[in-house]
Amino acid sequence: MNSVPANAKERFGDRVKDYVKYRPAYPREVIDWILACTPGLQAVADVGSGTGIFASLWLQQGLRVFGVEPNQAMRAAAEAQLGADPNFVSVAGSAERTGLPAESVGLVTCAQAFHWFNHDAARAEFTRILRPPGYVALVWNDRDVAGDDFATAYEHLLREHAPEYLQVVHRNVSAADLEAFFAPEQLETVDFKNAQTLDSDAFIGRTLSSSYVPNQGKPGHEGMMAALERTFATHQSGGVVRMRYLTRVYLGRLRGPVGTRVPSLACRGLR
């Protein structure tokens, strides 16, 4: 069983404003690829849905979307933005206990969230709420940490000024963890390029939206802010910096015939 911080479900409550304004979105191609591999999809459970960034993309497809989020402040932000859509259902639940009926959805998605879950308990719950063949898509915006001087400097800044960074970063979920989660089924993976262009305020807000960064009033906050200002001044061009990501998608079944593989990019004719 993986180790999950005791306060995992409350960590983002004081960062909602920055999260809504400055977190990166996800490429439309992510949705297109998942849809191509999950024919007949009608309902999605977006678990750890936060402020609704990923859920909004499914709503644009006309699907029924259950936004499952344990954090009240994050859930309220999603309701404010998506509540007018009749296909959106906000659920006060968690990955380990969604509150959804058995076999109620064809797909579970977890965008920027799986590393906060108890994997064993989440797997059991996802299996319960999925109808066969039972697809799960795990998605992360994986920030480039060494592709250019800015990326390298920003990674160094986080390691120096955010003590929790290496403890909770999503890269702690290994390939072995993912294989174990889907076992004995197989999974498909695909990457899409993504990026944000950030002015000074957006750069600072993007950083403060991360739960491992010391927020205002916390030890280390002033040092973090000074370092952010120096980093931006050094690496900005035309008043902006560019933060690059690979959006990584892992798609597999939890309720398919044993040892099966989801349809691949090649067999679907996507490029």
Side-chain angles (χ1 to χ4, degrees), residues 12-23 51 73-74 77 81 205-206 208-209 215:
F12 292 92
D14 60 348
R15 301 172 191 269
V16 171
K17 183 177 179 181
D18 286 330
Y19 206 104
V20 169
K21 291 181 67 175
Y22 302 121
R23 275 294 172 124
T51 62
M74 299 280 275
Q81 297 187 88
R206 166 65 184 89
L208 293 179
S209 74
N215 217 342

Side-chain angles (χ1 to χ4, degrees), residues 13-96:
D14 60 348
R15 301 172 191 269
V16 171
K17 183 177 179 181
D18 286 330
Y19 206 104
V20 169
K21 291 181 67 175
Y22 302 121
R23 275 294 172 124
Y26 300 89
R28 167 61 188 274
E29 291 86 352
V30 171
I31 303 299
D32 292 341
W33 183 72
I34 296 174
L35 284 172
C37 295
T38 55
L41 189 62
Q42 296 180 340
V44 177
D46 187 36
V47 179
S49 54
T51 62
I53 296 172
F54 201 60
S56 67
L57 300 180
W58 292 112
L59 290 171
Q60 291 170 22
Q61 301 300 312
L63 299 175
R64 185 79 160 165
V65 180
F66 298 91
V68 180
E69 173 55 49
N71 185 289
Q72 189 278 329
M74 299 280 275
R75 195 170 62 250
E79 291 166 358
Q81 297 187 88
L82 306 177
D85 191 318
N87 280 328
F88 180 68
V89 181
S90 180
V91 181
S94 66
E96 300 81 8

Side-chain angles (χ1 to χ4, degrees), residues 211-256:
S211 71
Y212 48 74
V213 171
N215 217 342
Q216 188 171 7
K218 301 294 184 180
H221 176 74
E222 292 184 3
M224 167 66 77
M225 294 297 290
L228 285 171
E229 291 172 0
R230 289 194 301 270
T231 299
F232 185 85
T234 300
H235 296 282
Q236 63 82 27
S237 176
V240 298
V241 291
R242 189 164 176 80
M243 192 171 286
R244 294 179 173 85
Y245 307 86
L246 280 181
T247 301
R248 298 186 178 276
V249 186
Y250 302 85
L251 180 67
R253 290 179 175 129
L254 291 186
R255 300 199 60 183

